[in-house]
Amino acid sequence: MQALNDLLAFQKDTEALAQVSGRLSWDQETMMPRGAGHQRGEETAALESVLHARRTDPRLGDWLAACEGQEMSQADAAKLRLIRRSYERSVKIPERLAVELARVTSLAQGQWAEAREKDDFAAFAPVLSRVIALRQEEGAALAGEGTPYDALIADYEPGTTAAELGAIFDAMRPRLVDLRARVLEKPAPKGAEGSFDEAAQMALTREIALAFGYDLNRGRIDKAVHPFSSGSGDDVRITTRTNPEDPFNSLYSTIHETGHACYEQNIDRSYALSPLGQGVSMGVHESQSRIYENQLGRSRAFTGWLFDRFRRAYGDFGIDTPEAFYAAVNRVQKDFIRTEADELQYNLHIMLRFDLEQQLIGGTLQVGDLEEAWNTRFAADFGYAVPKPSLGCLQDVHWSLGLFGYFPTYALGNVYAGCLHEALRADLPDLDASLAQGITTPATDWLRDNLQRHGGLREPRDTITHACGKAPDAEPLLRYIETKFSEIYYL
Amino acid sequence: MQALNDLLAFQKDTEALAQVSGRLSWDQETMMPRGAGHQRGEETAALESVLHARRTDPRLGDWLAACEGQEMSQADAAKLRLIRRSYERSVKIPERLAVELARVTSLAQGQWAEAREKDDFAAFAPVLSRVIALRQEEGAALAGEGTPYDALIADYEPGTTAAELGAIFDAMRPRLVDLRARVLEKPAPKGAEGSFDEAAQMALTREIALAFGYDLNRGRIDKAVHPFSSGSGDDVRITTRTNPEDPFNSLYSTIHETGHACYEQNIDRSYALSPLGQGVSMGVHESQSRIYENQLGRSRAFTGWLFDRFRRAYGDFGIDTPEAFYAAVNRVQKDFIRTEADELQYNLHIMLRFDLEQQLIGGTLQVGDLEEAWNTRFAADFGYAVPKPSLGCLQDVHWSLGLFGYFPTYALGNVYAGCLHEALRADLPDLDASLAQGITTPATDWLRDNLQRHGGLREPRDTITHACGKAPDAEPLLRYIETKFSEIYYL
């Protein structure tokens, strides 16, 4: 038992330091003085170096070996499984590679921002090639029996493979492409009109976050350029942004981040500062943010209540009925940008990236050919041409950061959200009556009790299976999307 | 050279982690959600444990030994001197004692706040006794040839002793007690009247901080319960508070913190994240905050400009002439609280604490007798009785935190400020003409060039000697105080 206690005590400090690192990132995006960037780089690097040393500390191996075969609780066994995975992974990556990756991606992020600004993919291509070479090397070091790309996916979504994801996506793609084409033949619903006071938007944002169960006693809401959620346990902060011409952006990005934040806040308190004390994977995390944002927040019942709330907050804003409001927040438009995509088109954006990044890491697509490959695929799935790279292959920061294997978890999160939504609707036949009054508690309580509180106790896929009572698949999401948009667009 | 490079690289990461720790404290006082306190305790403890391990890392001893006798720059030699001092000090303190001190002072801080709230010294006495016992043990472990109390002083003001400080203070005390008695026989100047808009106070606060040279590109100003300055180098933040009935409190506490912050911001950039990259001692730090606040900010010339600024900001506020304004911001009142004391009485508050804490650590005063000893001494120096412990021995947080040896650096800072003021006035005969226009640059540039930029290059006392061209003593401060208050009070 001594080894187990020592291991868990050591891990607790590592988790606490990881929280400190998260707090630093939050500060950097919200509070840090502009001129402090260089110094912050040094501070972050020092902390990351401490974390790396702890994650590869040889004592971890000794403790893990000493715990082998011991009787222990389900929670402790899960903690050990996650510590072992992290340790075995970390020691496979040479420190030189880790340092080089940190250095090159930090450089690449700046060059990406500049290239996007100037709409010049060629300016970004050389550093992207270096990022890819380093991640290929990392993937190869980690690969074991799978492919390098599978090894990278495991960073974000342990227990799945490109083959599994590809099979899911291949089944979805033709149905979404088809539905998209039929929807876009119809007239587009009217959007909101006028100017929307930013203080009123922030006030509404706060009210809605609370309505979805966000605990402000253990969190806070600030403005930032990009909305995000940060931290675990008792300190989970979210950010939002406001746009005076678009009241929906701040609202729905806040509901999205509230979903992420509530997942973290609702994890069993006894798991705090242990490997179980965070959301189990990116895909499961995204399932929470998306179900809050879409299946709940963009439902007909909830938007009925929201329409009334909007009228009180903004007066006349160019939309006259709850039904028109419902159509407006679910409007499908010809557009290029993933982060602004509706529920129908979003997954098509992901599949495009998934296929291309798999080829990039696999070496079957060269960076020099990426822009053309992107544009060709976009035209095939969306039906029109990308006019410039800032609306195409330069739109996302992810690849500059080396985040290959991350994109598919967004679509997987949607698939999971579809399953969870089907299951909770079956358990809560009267949910719409609550949502129509702005009350989300039956749904958010269901998610807390069946999924969120368990944190990292089970593997990602098992987490969904446990909550839904059956294994996840894409059918519920597809049915939900097809039904919803067929109704809104009178197909 | 390899040992020197390795040592300085290692130390750079330690300094960067210490900055992270400072950022966490700032967050805790300004931004942290209320419910995150317990978790933050774990995060802070994990980071402190990393810092403790680095400060006692045996490699430091090896590197220091390998560097012995090598040729190196003045700056590198100073860095090594400071690293050696920190290392030799840290390894003398058993880890058990360090952990116990952290645990007991964290407990004591809460009990102190409660006892002060309830005006019940007896409720605080037991935990204070434990804090004192631990600090006595620490002092004994560190003492070497000096006394345990001297060893504790060295934490805050290396190179001085209780005997030296006592000699300075003994020379000051009778002159201040006498002046104080004569001043308080005179009618008190009128204070500000009315209600002072908090947004206007914050705006003025910002303007004045900038006027004293604070660089907002490398800092920020927030509200907090207690004003403080935090961080070094490119990320130096200050806080302030506003009181709708008192426009002077937020103003002068901001100028005070600006003094601390400008010292940090003005240190030679090449010293960043090295042992030279922070203010050299508490006393020298306090000399900067006090000279900004008092010798400059409360000068007749500067308050003449400030009076005009106040009229524009607040309209009629019950003070009609620059001379009455000057008297108001320098008003001497019968009061009990150190932090609100004027320049004349402030040092008497410190001397009282210095004498009592020396006896507490020396074992000649028991905690059970502290309240009576405080009240007796207060009556002797101030001429009236302390009505309750929250206005007496429970007013300061310091002892609950174990900060014995810290108080005297406040008065030493005033003595240093007196010396620096004398020297800069000699170099800048026309300073008042600038101050009368709200321009502090000649004085703040002088302080930057002669003192601030050098950071930790020289020992504290040598830092003052270098700036002033002669060794510090209390005469300049006493002359300044006697002249100023004799004039204001027509003695």
Side-chain angles (χ1 to χ4, degrees):
Chain A
M1 283 312 279
Q2 190 56 46
L4 180 62
N5 290 341
D6 289 348
L7 174 57
L8 294 181
F10 183 86
Q11 185 66 25
K12 183 180 174 186
D13 274 4
T14 307
E15 301 285 348
L17 292 166
Q19 288 298 310
V20 172
S21 171
R23 220 73 69 223
L24 271 195
S25 304
W26 172 87
D27 183 86
Q28 187 161 348
E29 300 297 325
T30 56
M31 299 291 158
M32 189 183 82
R34 209 156 9 132
H38 176 75
Q39 179 173 321
R40 176 58 59 90
E42 305 280 357
E43 294 167 9
T44 305
L47 188 55
E48 287 310 312
S49 158
V50 168
L51 281 165
H52 178 78
R54 295 184 71 90
R55 287 174 181 142
T56 54
D57 192 305
R59 286 174 295 173
L60 287 173
D62 300 339
W63 285 320
L64 286 165
C67 292
E68 204 78 59
Q70 272 190 36
E71 280 288 306
M72 62 184 78
S73 67
Q74 183 191 12
D76 283 348
K79 289 174 193 171
L80 256 64
R81 179 170 47 75
L82 294 174
I83 296 170
R84 179 183 305 280
R85 179 188 294 157
S86 156
Y87 174 67
E88 288 177 351
R89 191 183 154 78
S90 303
V91 295
K92 283 185 192 155
I93 303 170
E95 177 147 14
R96 172 200 54 74
L97 179 58
V99 169
E100 184 69 359
L101 255 168
R103 212 182 56 73
V104 174
T105 53
S106 161
L107 187 74
Q109 197 184 353
Q111 294 192 12
W112 162 78
E114 210 171 305
R116 187 177 70 153
E117 181 81 22
K118 295 185 180 154
D119 254 310
D120 179 7
F121 179 72
F124 177 54
V127 78
L128 178 60
S129 296
R130 290 172 62 199
V131 172
I132 290 172
L134 290 167
R135 286 287 271 166
Q136 284 171 330
E137 186 185 343
E138 190 185 5
L142 294 168
E145 292 173 18
T147 68
Y149 184 63
D150 282 341
L152 300 184
I153 291 175
D155 243 1
Y156 315 109
E157 199 68 25
T160 191
T161 61
E164 271 178 29
L165 292 166
I168 296 172
F169 297 164
D170 285 347
M172 291 167 73
R173 188 177 164 206
R175 284 165 68 174
L176 294 174
V177 168
D178 170 64
L179 180 61
R180 185 188 168 284
R182 289 189 293 135
V183 160
L184 285 179
E185 284 168 10
K186 299 281 183 165
K190 195 159 167 268
E193 281 168 7
S195 182
F196 299 86
D197 179 64
E198 304 200 57
Q201 288 193 45
M202 286 303 287
L204 189 57
T205 273
R206 190 184 163 90
E207 180 188 336
I208 299 291
L210 294 175
F212 274 89
Y214 183 53
D215 179 0
L216 267 175
N217 187 47
R218 302 192 290 137
R220 52 179 291 137
I221 307 175
D222 294 274
K223 280 197 186 190
V225 178
H226 302 289
F228 64 92
S229 158
S230 157
S232 296
D234 289 341
D235 197 345
V236 186
R237 307 178 186 190
I238 62 176
T239 65
T240 188
R241 60 182 167 201
T242 56
N243 175 345
E245 285 161 24
D246 178 2
F248 298 135
N249 189 303
S250 95
L251 181 80
Y252 281 102
S253 67
T254 301
I255 302 179
H256 182 96
E257 300 310 332
T258 297
H260 283 304
C262 286
Y263 184 11
E264 294 292 336
Q265 287 188 330
N266 288 337
I267 293 173
D268 192 321
R269 304 290 281 263
S270 71
Y271 297 167
L273 300 180
S274 89
L276 310 189
Q278 303 116 49
V280 68
S281 72
M282 294 298 151
V284 176
H285 236 302
E286 193 72 4
S287 77
Q288 301 306 293
S289 58
R290 298 292 279 183
I291 198 170
Y292 278 55
E293 178 191 356
N294 292 328
Q295 280 88 349
L296 302 176
R298 285 193 168 93
S299 66
R300 176 177 272 122
F302 186 75
T303 55
W305 173 81
L306 199 55
F307 171 65
D308 202 53
R309 217 32 224 87
F310 259 57
R311 294 257 273 209
R312 278 193 283 138
Y314 304 119
D316 178 12
F317 60 99
I319 296 177
D320 298 328
T321 66
E323 198 55 31
F325 188 83
Y326 177 54
V329 304
N330 286 294
R331 187 156 66 152
V332 178
Q333 282 183 293
K334 284 194 179 182
D335 201 356
F336 301 93
I337 301 295
R338 175 186 59 84
T339 57
E340 292 167 11
D342 51 83
E343 285 180 83
L344 199 176
Q345 298 183 95
Y346 189 90
N347 296 304
L348 293 172
H349 285 281
I350 296 304
M351 294 170 198
L352 179 159
R353 288 156 179 76
F354 170 69
D355 287 339
L356 295 181
E357 70 176 21
Q358 207 176 340
Q359 295 167 35
L360 286 168
I361 294 296
T364 57
L365 174 64
Q366 301 309 309
V367 169
D369 301 323
L370 174 60
E371 187 173 4
E372 198 192 321
W374 181 293
N375 294 348
T376 305
R377 169 69 179 264
F378 189 88
D381 282 2
F382 291 81
Y384 46 91
V386 173
K388 51 185 182 178
S390 60
L391 294 177
C393 63
L394 280 179
Q395 69 180 265
D396 295 305
V397 70
H398 298 59
W399 289 340
S400 78
L401 297 172
L403 298 176
F404 291 88
Y406 190 114
F407 277 125
T409 71
Y410 289 132
L412 187 63
N414 287 327
V415 168
Y416 287 166
C419 301
L420 291 164
H421 183 237
E422 186 184 64
L424 75 79
R425 285 278 176 181
D427 280 358
L428 304 168
D430 301 327
L431 177 60
D432 278 338
S434 298
L435 291 176
Q437 299 173 63
I439 297 169
T440 68
T441 345
T444 53
D445 282 359
W446 189 98
L447 289 165
R448 183 194 62 212
D449 294 343
N450 289 286
L451 188 148
Q452 295 173 348
R453 69 187 173 92
H454 299 302
L457 187 65
R458 298 180 183 86
E459 289 292 305
R461 195 180 156 85
D462 296 341
T463 298
I464 302 296
T465 303
H466 176 84
C468 297
K470 62 179 182 184
D473 71 281
E475 268 310 310
L477 177 70
L478 289 167
R479 276 199 299 271
Y480 157 80
I481 289 177
E482 284 166 348
T483 307
K484 178 173 188 172
F485 290 93
S486 297
E487 260 182 52
I488 294 173
Y489 283 88
Y490 305 99
L491 301 183
Chain B
M1 283 312 278
Q2 191 55 45
L4 180 62
N5 291 341
D6 289 348
L7 175 58
L8 295 181
F10 183 87
Q11 184 66 23
K12 184 180 173 185
D13 274 3
T14 306
E15 303 283 348
L17 292 167
Q19 288 298 311
V20 172
S21 170
R23 219 75 67 224
L24 271 196
S25 303
W26 172 86
D27 183 85
Q28 186 161 350
E29 300 296 325
T30 55
M31 299 290 159
M32 189 183 82
R34 213 158 4 134
H38 176 75
Q39 179 173 322
R40 176 58 59 90
E42 305 280 356
E43 294 168 9
T44 305
L47 188 53
E48 288 310 311
S49 158
V50 169
L51 280 164
H52 178 79
R54 295 184 72 91
R55 287 174 181 142
T56 55
D57 192 304
R59 286 174 295 174
L60 287 172
D62 302 338
W63 285 321
L64 285 165
C67 292
E68 204 77 59
Q70 270 189 36
E71 280 286 307
M72 63 184 77
S73 68
Q74 183 192 12
D76 283 348
K79 289 175 193 171
L80 256 65
R81 179 171 47 75
L82 294 175
I83 296 170
R84 180 183 303 283
R85 181 189 293 158
S86 156
Y87 174 68
E88 289 178 349
R89 194 184 153 76
S90 303
V91 294
K92 282 185 193 156
I93 302 171
E95 176 147 15
R96 171 200 54 76
L97 179 59
V99 170
E100 184 70 359
L101 256 169
R103 213 183 54 75
V104 174
T105 53
S106 161
L107 187 73
Q109 197 184 354
Q111 295 193 11
W112 162 78
E114 210 171 303
R116 188 177 68 154
E117 182 80 22
K118 295 184 181 157
D119 253 310
D120 179 7
F121 178 71
F124 176 53
V127 77
L128 179 59
S129 296
R130 290 171 63 198
V131 172
I132 290 172
L134 291 168
R135 285 288 269 166
Q136 284 170 330
E137 187 187 342
E138 189 185 5
L142 295 168
E145 293 173 18
T147 68
Y149 184 63
D150 282 342
L152 299 184
I153 290 175
D155 243 0
Y156 316 109
E157 198 68 24
T160 191
T161 62
E164 271 178 29
L165 292 166
I168 295 172
F169 296 164
D170 285 348
M172 291 167 73
R173 187 175 164 209
R175 283 166 69 173
L176 294 174
V177 168
D178 171 64
L179 180 61
R180 185 188 168 284
R182 289 189 292 136
V183 160
L184 285 181
E185 285 168 9
K186 299 281 184 166
K190 195 159 165 273
E193 281 166 8
S195 184
F196 300 85
D197 179 64
E198 304 199 55
Q201 289 193 44
M202 286 303 287
L204 188 58
T205 272
R206 190 185 162 92
E207 179 187 336
I208 299 291
L210 294 174
F212 274 89
Y214 184 52
D215 179 1
L216 268 175
N217 187 45
R218 303 192 290 137
R220 52 179 289 137
I221 307 176
D222 293 274
K223 279 197 184 189
V225 178
H226 302 288
F228 64 92
S229 159
S230 159
S232 296
D234 289 340
D235 196 346
V236 186
R237 307 179 186 189
I238 63 176
T239 65
T240 189
R241 59 181 167 202
T242 56
N243 174 344
E245 285 161 23
D246 178 2
F248 297 135
N249 190 303
S250 96
L251 181 80
Y252 281 103
S253 66
T254 302
I255 302 179
H256 182 97
E257 300 309 331
T258 298
H260 283 304
C262 287
Y263 184 10
E264 294 292 336
Q265 288 188 330
N266 287 337
I267 293 173
D268 192 320
R269 303 290 279 263
S270 71
Y271 297 167
L273 299 181
S274 89
L276 310 188
Q278 304 114 49
V280 69
S281 72
M282 293 299 150
V284 175
H285 236 301
E286 192 73 3
S287 77
Q288 301 307 291
S289 57
R290 298 292 280 183
I291 199 169
Y292 278 54
E293 178 190 357
N294 292 327
Q295 279 88 350
L296 302 176
R298 285 192 167 94
S299 66
R300 175 177 273 122
F302 186 76
T303 56
W305 173 81
L306 198 55
F307 170 66
D308 202 51
R309 222 25 228 89
F310 259 56
R311 295 256 274 208
R312 277 194 282 138
Y314 302 119
D316 179 11
F317 59 98
I319 296 176
D320 299 329
T321 66
E323 197 56 31
F325 188 83
Y326 177 53
V329 304
N330 286 293
R331 189 156 66 152
V332 179
Q333 282 183 294
K334 285 194 179 182
D335 202 354
F336 302 93
I337 301 296
R338 175 185 61 82
T339 56
E340 291 168 12
D342 51 83
E343 286 181 84
L344 197 176
Q345 298 183 97
Y346 189 90
N347 296 304
L348 292 173
H349 285 281
I350 296 304
M351 293 171 199
L352 179 159
R353 287 157 179 76
F354 170 68
D355 287 339
L356 295 181
E357 70 176 22
Q358 206 174 340
Q359 294 167 35
L360 286 169
I361 295 296
T364 57
L365 174 64
Q366 301 310 309
V367 169
D369 302 324
L370 174 60
E371 186 172 5
E372 196 192 323
W374 180 292
N375 294 348
T376 304
R377 170 68 180 266
F378 190 88
D381 282 3
F382 290 81
Y384 47 92
V386 173
K388 52 185 183 179
S390 61
L391 295 176
C393 62
L394 280 179
Q395 70 181 266
D396 296 304
V397 71
H398 298 59
W399 289 339
S400 77
L401 297 171
L403 298 176
F404 292 87
Y406 190 115
F407 277 126
T409 69
Y410 289 132
L412 187 65
N414 287 328
V415 167
Y416 287 166
C419 301
L420 292 164
H421 184 235
E422 187 185 64
L424 76 80
R425 284 279 176 182
D427 279 0
L428 305 167
D430 300 328
L431 177 59
D432 278 338
S434 297
L435 291 176
Q437 297 173 64
I439 297 168
T440 67
T441 345
T444 52
D445 282 359
W446 189 97
L447 289 166
R448 183 194 62 213
D449 293 343
N450 289 286
L451 187 145
Q452 295 172 351
R453 69 187 173 91
H454 299 302
L457 186 65
R458 298 181 184 85
E459 289 291 306
R461 194 181 156 87
D462 296 341
T463 298
I464 302 296
T465 303
H466 176 83
C468 297
K470 63 179 181 185
D473 70 281
E475 268 309 310
L477 177 69
L478 288 167
R479 276 199 299 272
Y480 158 80
I481 289 177
E482 285 166 347
T483 307
K484 179 173 189 172
F485 289 93
S486 296
E487 260 181 52
I488 294 173
Y489 282 88
Y490 305 100
L491 302 183

